[in-house]
Amino acid sequence: MKKMTKVMATVIAMAMIICGLTACGGEAKSNTIKFGTNAEFPPFEFVAANGVIGQFDGIDIAIAKQIAEDNGMTAEIENMEFDSLLIAIQNGQIDAAIAGMTIKEERKEKVDFSIPYYQATQVMIVKEDSDIQKASDMADKKICVIQGYTGEICVKEMGYPYESFKKGTEAVLELVNGKCDVVVIDAATAKKYVQDNAGLKIVEDAEAFEGEEYAIAVKKGNTELLDKINKSLEKMLSDGTIADLGIKYSVAE
Ligand code: ARG
């Protein structure tokens, strides 16, 4: 009987050691950060033959990779519709969303945001010969926006009717084909579309469109990951990494 107890004690002790080493029973520590994005938003995220991570390239993808590296981890990218990102965070399908995502009060109710890493604003893309000069000139025009983007929220708040598309490229095609008069979208992405399509120009209205800040979203209360992300972002902001990425991806794509 005594011997039996000793054997049992040894077995339990060994099991405890093994469990301690492999974290069994507890939540296994993953060495990857699963970032969700919507790779339809150049220069922040787009699909390319030789991307920074697999087929994904852009400022955000480079930032995601660096965040993982700074923490001795690997970054994985999951591409989905922009509209699905917050739900994917909430149900644990992804750890974080990096998608040129603007901090908004209504989004803050669903997820936690990192420190901001990029200042943005909405602009209007119009045909070169358009008479639109300010946001209120859109009143009697056909407006195109992208579903779920802050551009849609802005136009809705202005009270103008609009049509929404799943992708920026679809809205821009509509504009190029003369089926709509103006596309409201984030400035850096607008610049890309104007570079890629002849006959378009950008119209700004800083009074009508307020400044926006992009940040990374994580599950509410996931301070462990948020701390890692924030530390890495702070470093990349102060050592010029993010500024350099902005230059690299806006000029040389
Ligand atoms: N900044 C805008 C927003 O937060 C648009 C972001 C779109 N991002 C993307 N990866 N498709 O709504």
Side-chain angles (χ1 to χ4, degrees), residues 37-38 40-41 45 82 99-102 107 148-150 186 212 214:
T37 196
N38 168 254
E40 294 285 348
F41 199 62
E45 43 266 339
F82 186 76
M101 189 182 280
T102 304
R107 292 175 180 168
Y149 286 19
T150 39
D186 302 54
E212 298 185 14
Y214 294 169

Side-chain angles (χ1 to χ4, degrees), residues 102 104 119-126 132-139 143-146 149-160 162 182-187 190 201-213:
T102 304
K104 291 289 270 180
Q119 316 294 320
T121 185
Q122 299 299 307
V123 297
M124 296 169 281
I125 312 178
V126 296
I132 294 178
Q133 287 176 326
K134 50 188 188 316
S136 57
D137 293 336
M138 294 194 294
I143 308 171
C144 286
V145 297
I146 301 56
Y149 286 19
T150 39
E152 178 177 24
I153 301 173
C154 285
V155 172
K156 195 187 273 175
E157 281 171 0
M158 288 171 179
Y160 303 138
Y162 61 84
V182 51
V183 175
V184 178
I185 193 165
D186 302 54
K201 67 173 181 187
I202 287 173
V203 177
E204 295 172 18
D205 186 343
E207 270 168 50
F209 302 110
E210 53 190 33
E212 298 185 14
E213 292 181 317

